[in-house]
Amino acid sequence: MIAVINYGLNDTTHLAEMLNSFKVDFKITRDERDILDCEKVIISDSPSISKAVKKIHLYNLFSLLRMQNKPMLGISLGLELLCNKTEKGLACLGLIPAEIKERTMVESSSVHKSNWEIVHQTKSSPLFDKIPNDTKFYFDSPYYVDVFESTIATASMGKDYSAAIIKDNFYGVQFIPEKSGEYGSQLLENFITIC
């Protein structure tokens, strides 16, 4: 089973529809037993990192998620939640050793004029199996992580930033696969079946 974490801010409608299309066993949950019993975890997107961290603490998910070593996928803001902290010092789950940055209004306006950005694969990974290099994916986040040793794909806003990250069993994508059409669907299926 896959546990899709419900932390009270994230809209999981499109993600649930895509998981249903795979006919995979999943549960949208914040229940400790579900999370402990599942084989994989997905943390989906939400609008605010500070509010998301507060909710994760409120529902007693913070320590529980930090203790997991099973495959975990962070989507968009979910990627940031897997990281160490924001540049303003807000502590996140600390599963990926990276700092979260926030775009300026000008950068946000520029990078997401169409929301569709080219993702350049910089390292081979089963997460991108059957996905051509330089495919466009759907982005919608004011946050980003610089390129570092765990980056496996990049996008650009004048300078490259991490579009996908892998550290041990922890996977993060800055884009939103469930809104990215055929190749977004393929990436989610790769996480479920290969990773």
Side-chain angles (χ1 to χ4, degrees):
M1 183 186 77
I2 298 166
V4 177
I5 304 301
N6 173 11
Y7 54 91
L9 291 173
N10 47 335
D11 180 0
T12 57
T13 306
H14 295 291
L15 179 58
E17 288 172 1
M18 191 165 278
L19 292 173
N20 274 322
S21 75
F22 299 148
K23 302 192 181 338
V24 64
D25 184 22
F26 74 95
K27 186 178 282 190
I28 299 169
T29 184
R30 64 176 71 107
D31 182 83
E32 179 178 355
R33 180 49 53 195
D34 291 338
I35 296 166
L36 291 173
D37 289 346
C38 74
E39 296 171 355
K40 295 182 179 179
V41 173
I42 297 176
I43 304 175
S44 63
D45 188 36
S46 77
S48 166
I49 195 160
S50 59
K51 290 179 181 177
V53 169
K54 285 177 187 174
K55 287 285 192 180
I56 286 171
H57 279 291
L58 178 67
Y59 294 126
N60 296 316
L61 294 170
F62 195 85
S63 295
L64 177 63
L65 291 171
R66 278 177 55 85
M67 291 187 308
Q68 302 306 304
N69 194 34
K70 58 191 72 174
M72 189 179 298
L73 174 65
I75 293 173
S76 195
L77 185 105
L79 178 155
E80 275 79 35
L81 289 172
L82 296 179
C83 294
N84 281 345
K85 63 183 177 65
T86 68
E87 59 187 339
K88 295 178 181 176
L90 177 67
C92 296
L93 293 171
L95 300 171
I96 292 175
E99 183 179 81
I100 304 141
K101 298 186 176 177
E102 190 166 358
R103 292 189 178 92
T104 66
M105 293 298 289
V106 172
E107 287 172 334
S108 290
S109 172
S110 171
V111 76
H112 293 317
K113 283 183 289 193
S114 72
N115 289 97
W116 291 86
E117 299 293 330
I118 292 171
V119 171
H120 180 70
Q121 299 170 38
T122 57
K123 295 179 185 175
S124 178
S125 167
L127 193 62
F128 283 94
D129 190 47
K130 300 179 184 175
I131 298 173
N133 198 11
D134 296 332
T135 293
K136 285 189 174 181
F137 288 88
Y138 184 88
F139 288 73
D140 189 18
S141 175
Y143 307 103
Y144 71 98
V145 173
D146 282 330
V147 176
F148 69 116
E149 61 269 15
S150 297
T151 300
I152 61 163
T154 61
S156 180
M157 57 176 180
K159 69 169 187 175
D160 288 349
Y161 64 97
S162 294
I165 293 168
I166 296 177
K167 174 66 176 172
D168 302 323
N169 272 341
F170 307 116
Y171 301 75
V173 292
Q174 190 61 76
F175 49 86
I176 305 176
E178 62 270 28
K179 294 183 179 179
S180 296
E182 172 189 358
Y183 292 119
S185 175
Q186 183 65 60
L187 185 135
L188 272 176
E189 189 171 7
N190 288 343
F191 173 72
I192 292 163
T193 59
I194 300 172
C195 300

